[in-house]
Amino acid sequence: MNPFSSGTRLRDMIRAIRACKTAAEERAVVRKECAAIRAAVSENDQDYRHRNLAKLMFIHMLGYPTHFGQMECLKLIASAGFPEKRIGYLGLMLLLDERQEVLMLVTNSLKQDLNHGNQYIVGLALCALGNICSAEMARDLAPEVEKLLQSRDQNIRKKAALCSIRIVRKVPDLAENFMGPATTLLKEKHHGVLITGVQLCTELCKASTEALDYLRKHTDSLVRVLKDLMASPYAPEYDISGITDPFLQIRILRLLRMLGQGDADCSDCMNDILAQVAAKTESNKNAGNAILYECVAAIMGIEANSGLRVLAINILGRFLSNRDNNIRYVALNMLMKAVGVDTQAVQRHRTTILECVKDSDASIRKRALELVFLLVNDSNVKPLTKELIEYLEVSDPDFKGDLTAKICSIVEKFSPDKLWYIDQMLKVLSEAGNYVKDEVWHALIVVISNASEFHGYTVRSLYRALQTSGEQDSLVRVAVWCIGEYGEMLLNNVGVLDGKEPMTVTESDAVDVVEMALKRHMTDVTTRAMSLIALLKLSSRFAPCSERIREIINQQKGSLVLELQQRSIEFNSIIQKHQNIKPALVERMPVLDEAAYIGKKASSSSATLSTEKTSHSNSSGVTVSLPNGVTKPPAAPLVDLLDLTPDDVPVSSSSGGDFLQDLLGIGSSPNSSLPGVSQAPPTGGADILLDLLSIGTPSPVSALNTVPTSQDNMSSVSPLEALSTLPSPVSSAQVSQPSMLGSVKGTIDQSKQPAGVAPVMDLLDGLSSNPLSLDESNPLYPSIIAYQSNTLKIAFSFSKQPGKPQITLIQATFTNLSSNVYTDFVFQAAVPKFIQLHLDPASSNVLPANGNGSITQSLSLNNSHHGQKALAMRLRINYKVNNESKKEDGQINNFPSDPRCLCMLTFFN
Amino acid sequence: MIRFILLQNRQGKTRLAKYYVALEESEKHKVEYEVHRLVVNRDPKFTNFVEFRTHKIIYRRYAGLFFSMCVDITDNELAYLECIHLFVEILDHFFSNVCELDLVFNFQKVYLILDEFILAGELQETSKKAIIDRMGELEKQE
């Protein structure tokens, strides 16, 4: 019986659901239906099984859970009749996907159905396989599908071809098996089979270079097919607005592009036909434009001759002036690729493209903006930036983020001189300062600090900009910083540039501005903290206002934000009690190192993790603490406010790559030089220094960069020593500060380092070698083979820090068991939420063949449910063999099964 | 490659959702919600393409119904637009003058038609007639 034609119940249910007026009513109906279906399932009801499954599919579409119906699909698939199988397979595709383990149970039924005598049933099985098969199923069933590619029935052939695509996507190794059958499909006359054959070939080319070479030999026959298609008379079955099967033409063009890419001979073969398609295809309908678009893509992709390229660019030019937005969109898209081929030709359309940046359609704007970005060069940067900044004023808020990011990177990349850079950045900040990323204004401060000749000009411009755009956060930050640093230049009109008006600003005007920034209700903590520092600096520069400044600072004593309150109290005591050291404390910043900043910027992403750790540890129960939201790592130059480092000390910018190294570096030297406070975790100590003096962002990145970390720094003032000259609350805080990172690393540090200088690299070595040595000395931690496949072995050895039972250090050793070298080797691990995982960099990313050497990598796991839950981990290993990417996944489940490991685990937890 | 095909009405009710990549159930709901939000308020003069995460949505509106396909960023947008139209023509032909209610009450047939049109995220047949004929044959098997 047919569940749909005679079964009114499905219709009834849909009607009942549609009649529901509220979501609650709908839920009630669905709940009732589900209960009935569940009952039928448990009674193993045969008659209504397919109808029930159909209902479940509808319920599923509404978004309700239907997992209990999964087994019903399998039962229906296993039944004999076509209607049952049909609904069973439909349910399978809808309710299940490749990740459910239930799916494995269906492999056998699929295999039987693929070999079935009834072509319709074979079709059903192919369809299901093509839509949801997993890698395992692909491997198991590939031979069947391969055989079906030669079936007599064309419907089966085309389904098998698409099924093969899925199989090759899941298991690229199988590509070679399909090469032969796939090329026979190219000789088909039936369009359906032909188009699937062409798509299969395209997929094979992506999966294997061997297949690509093999298929290149068939270029001629493809060209012929396309030629015939173009010349074919009106064919009603395949006609779309006057063009015969545009879909097939497009697929062939796409395959031709793949074949011609990087192969001159092959490209030669198709030059003529591409020219023909480009010239003859009608462009007044979407279908024709779709072909032209694909044809242009092919011309841009292959090694085409210049005449053909001109033709292609002309088509794009025509597209660009089209009134249909879709056509303009694809034109912009394709021009991006054309930039690499013929920049001059694209530059000709620059004004049109710039107009597109201002289009009302976000999709077009986005494309156009990216294209503009590619078109910028030294000669047109000024007018282009001007246009973009002007547009920034009127663009809608959604787009401002993208636009500012692009403008900033254009300005940074192409600025001809510093003054222009500063000017443009100020414009952007005033216009869209709230959308500017932190790195951008940090970079601006670095540049300003280096441009001593423009200090006066900059601070005046900022002051002026602040009057009109005081609501733009990053503008306020830069302005406040500059006023703090160069406040006196604001008053004296120092360094007025030619043609600029001098302006009159009194000391109290300047203080007003900073006070406003501090008190504006929208201002965030970082800005407020920066304002406080600026005020502290101004208090020494503007002697007459000193008392007023002290009052402003004092007001923040009651701030609810700990950071501000603390600063206020500390600064207040600096002003009141330590007049003698104040001038030295608030001296102007030394010029920031641009090269080092750029280096830092590149590595800042890797530093994020560690900084967060540090500041978290800070906020956990320490008097000196940072509020959340100031955990960002980028450079905050004010950190160096105290001017701890004598300028003649060599700055170890070479070791600047890794933030962590620096962090440990600063931690290690005070530790060795001040044995008296060795209980205080050194990193923590450094943090206080940073907290106290930095602007809101702790930003050790740039600060640490200027702190000496090399051997010869012993003679210079070490940061902690300098710190000890500070008011007492600070030093007491520093002693009591527990810091997670600090203590972990600190203990290593103490155990490893002789009482002397602690070179940064050595310390890091210590980190990775420590666990090993511990492991050797302690038989309690046996090594395990965490993962082993035919190609790869991973061994874990374990160690613990004394007194830190929740932290497990793992030394992972990777060995290559195959005969090929692995490159780009990357190991990833995932752990449950209650465990924190920290991965150190691996010793290498190249793994030699045949076990001739290995890669090591240290991990540290912090189990927050120590003693309650066991360690668990999933692994993923990515690497390349002969430039082909491979992926292996694993789970460490030999922990619990091995009794030895069990006892180890209990020890660990 | 087509990642998924959605058929939604203006209120955001999903009338058909076919995924050719494996997604979590909750992720699917999120995707459907986001896609609906992306397409529903766009000006008809705008492009039929919206960028969506790392992919692209090609959509087209027919009366109160939105047909959306999520495709790779390098795919031919115009071709997929034509593809949506062909699918709609097939539905229109099959249900003779299709309306939303046809799709609701015969949802399983819509899926079956789609399975004859697209498989594994790729085009299977480009002839309307071939698909309608094939559906007729399959109906006879029931």
Side-chain angles (χ1 to χ4, degrees), chain A residues 862-873:
Chain A
N862 184 352
N863 186 347
S864 61
H865 286 209
H866 169 67
Q868 297 155 30
K869 291 190 182 168
L871 293 178
M873 191 187 281

Side-chain angles (χ1 to χ4, degrees), chain A residues 418-431:
Chain A
K418 278 185 176 161
L419 184 60
W420 185 81
Y421 173 86
I422 293 172
D423 274 344
Q424 304 309 313
M425 290 308 292
L426 289 197
K427 278 188 207 158
V428 174
L429 287 179
S430 327
E431 221 32 81

Side-chain angles (χ1 to χ4, degrees), chain A residues 541-603:
Chain A
R541 274 158 224 187
F542 299 167
C545 287
S546 176
E547 189 49 32
R548 183 175 158 219
I549 289 173
R550 198 184 62 79
E551 264 165 34
I552 300 172
I553 291 180
N554 229 352
Q555 284 162 10
Q556 295 297 321
K557 238 167 155 173
S559 170
L560 288 178
V561 184
L562 205 53
E563 170 75 12
L564 298 180
Q565 188 187 35
Q566 188 202 336
R567 276 176 200 237
S568 144
I569 293 170
E570 285 165 1
F571 292 171
N572 195 30
S573 77
I574 290 178
I575 295 175
Q576 284 191 319
K577 300 183 200 146
H578 299 276
Q579 283 296 346
N580 51 337
I581 60 160
K582 195 174 86 176
L585 276 177
V586 300
E587 214 167 70
R588 189 178 293 169
M589 294 270 299
V591 171
L592 301 160
D593 186 348
E594 265 176 301
Y597 176 75
I598 292 162
K600 289 297 176 188
K601 215 165 119 187
S603 64

Side-chain angles (χ1 to χ4, degrees), chain A residues 135-445:
Chain A
E136 286 88 1
M137 287 165 82
R139 256 194 215 98
D140 290 347
L141 299 173
E144 267 75 19
V145 176
E146 217 183 302
K147 213 162 60 200
L148 289 173
L149 280 174
Q150 279 125 31
S151 154
R152 272 185 299 129
D153 186 278
Q154 59 200 26
N155 275 310
I156 297 210
R157 281 204 302 275
K158 67 185 188 191
K159 283 194 163 69
L162 294 180
C163 215
S164 313
I165 293 184
R166 171 100 183 184
I167 290 174
V168 173
R169 272 184 198 144
K170 290 284 158 196
V171 192
D173 297 350
L174 292 172
E176 268 108 68
N177 303 7
F178 289 100
M179 271 166 19
T183 32
T184 8
L185 291 179
L186 297 181
K187 299 189 184 76
E188 291 274 351
K189 288 278 169 284
H190 184 270
H191 282 217
V193 187
L194 193 51
I195 194 170
T196 55
V198 171
Q199 288 173 115
L200 174 57
C201 289
T202 314
E203 196 61 38
L204 291 176
C205 291
K206 281 187 212 159
S208 121
T209 45
E210 199 177 318
L212 182 61
D213 290 337
Y214 181 80
L215 281 164
R216 280 198 172 125
K217 299 186 194 105
H218 295 265
T219 314
D220 283 335
S221 61
L222 271 172
V223 168
R224 212 171 310 124
V225 174
L226 190 54
K227 210 171 257 168
D228 291 348
L229 262 180
M230 296 235 1
S232 75
Y234 176 69
E237 242 189 89
Y238 294 102
D239 183 79
I240 286 181
S241 49
I243 294 166
T244 308
D245 209 341
F247 299 105
L248 182 54
Q249 295 197 32
I250 287 167
R251 299 292 157 165
I252 295 177
L253 284 167
R254 172 157 288 217
L255 179 55
L256 285 177
R257 182 177 80 199
M258 295 214 68
L259 298 176
Q261 216 154 28
D263 187 312
D265 291 344
C266 203
S267 300
D268 267 355
C269 297
M270 55 186 86
N271 267 337
D272 282 350
I273 186 72
L274 291 180
Q276 213 176 322
V277 173
K280 281 195 176 167
T281 308
E282 292 276 348
S283 66
N284 49 3
K285 287 276 167 51
N286 181 53
N289 283 325
I291 296 178
L292 282 174
Y293 177 45
E294 197 64 49
C295 182
V296 171
I299 294 172
M300 294 297 170
I302 66 167
E303 316 295 309
N305 59 39
S306 57
L308 208 49
R309 292 231 158 111
V310 171
L311 193 60
I313 300 256
N314 286 344
I315 292 176
L316 290 183
R318 242 169 37 221
F319 273 16
L320 203 57
S321 52
N322 200 305
R323 283 174 58 203
D324 183 346
N325 274 334
N326 286 340
I327 308 293
R328 284 200 294 153
Y329 176 89
V330 296
L332 290 168
N333 219 356
M334 193 48 66
L335 281 170
M336 300 244 292
K337 286 177 196 147
V339 171
V341 179
D342 186 353
T343 323
Q344 277 317 308
V346 185
Q347 289 283 8
R348 275 204 297 278
H349 300 294
R350 204 172 58 219
T351 26
T352 323
I353 296 165
L354 210 53
E355 281 311 302
C356 291
V357 175
K358 302 170 188 173
D359 200 278
S360 53
D361 181 353
S363 300
I364 290 197
R365 282 198 307 249
K366 228 170 157 179
R367 286 288 122 225
L369 184 60
E370 272 172 29
L371 188 53
V372 165
F373 185 62
L374 292 178
L375 289 179
V376 178
N377 57 30
D378 292 328
S379 61
N380 62 19
V381 60
K382 284 192 174 175
L384 270 178
T385 317
K386 185 161 171 278
E387 284 262 0
L388 290 178
I389 290 180
E390 273 166 18
Y391 177 57
L392 191 58
E393 293 167 28
V394 290
S395 67
D396 52 280
D398 290 347
F399 191 49
K400 274 191 176 151
D402 279 349
L403 191 56
T404 40
K406 279 282 185 288
I407 296 177
C408 290
S409 63
I410 290 173
V411 170
E412 244 171 85
K413 208 162 134 199
F414 293 100
S415 75
D417 56 73
K418 278 185 176 161
L419 184 60
W420 185 81
Y421 173 86
I422 293 172
D423 274 344
Q424 304 309 313
M425 290 308 292
L426 289 197
K427 278 188 207 158
V428 174
L429 287 179
S430 327
E431 221 32 81
N434 289 333
Y435 298 91
V436 167
K437 292 210 178 63
D438 283 353
E439 303 91 85
V440 173
W441 65 266
H442 293 163
L444 175 62
I445 287 189

Side-chain angles (χ1 to χ4, degrees), chain A residues 2 81-83 86 118-121, chain B residues 135-142:
Chain A
N2 185 319
F82 175 79
R86 190 181 192 188
N118 181 339
Q119 56 121 333
Y120 296 104
I121 290 178
Chain B
M135 282 304 288
E137 281 175 48
L138 290 171
E139 297 285 290
K140 261 184 251 156
Q141 296 289 313
E142 299 260 321

Side-chain angles (χ1 to χ4, degrees), chain A residues 434-511:
Chain A
N434 289 333
Y435 298 91
V436 167
K437 292 210 178 63
D438 283 353
E439 303 91 85
V440 173
W441 65 266
H442 293 163
L444 175 62
I445 287 189
V446 175
V447 171
I448 292 176
S449 133
N450 277 283
S452 56
E453 66 277 27
F454 303 128
H455 281 166
Y457 168 73
T458 310
V459 71
R460 277 192 301 280
S461 312
L462 279 164
Y463 178 82
R464 223 175 279 136
L466 215 47
Q467 313 291 329
T468 52
S469 321
E471 74 288 349
Q472 306 287 357
D473 252 338
S474 32
L475 176 76
V476 176
R477 288 182 198 171
V478 177
V480 160
W481 188 87
C482 286
I483 292 174
E485 290 298 314
Y486 315 118
E488 68 278 15
M489 298 189 181
L490 195 55
L491 309 187
N492 311 337
N493 277 322
V494 175
V496 179
L497 299 183
D498 296 342
K500 305 276 178 195
E501 287 273 308
M503 56 195 281
T504 335
V505 183
T506 64
E507 288 158 343
S508 75
D509 287 343
V511 177

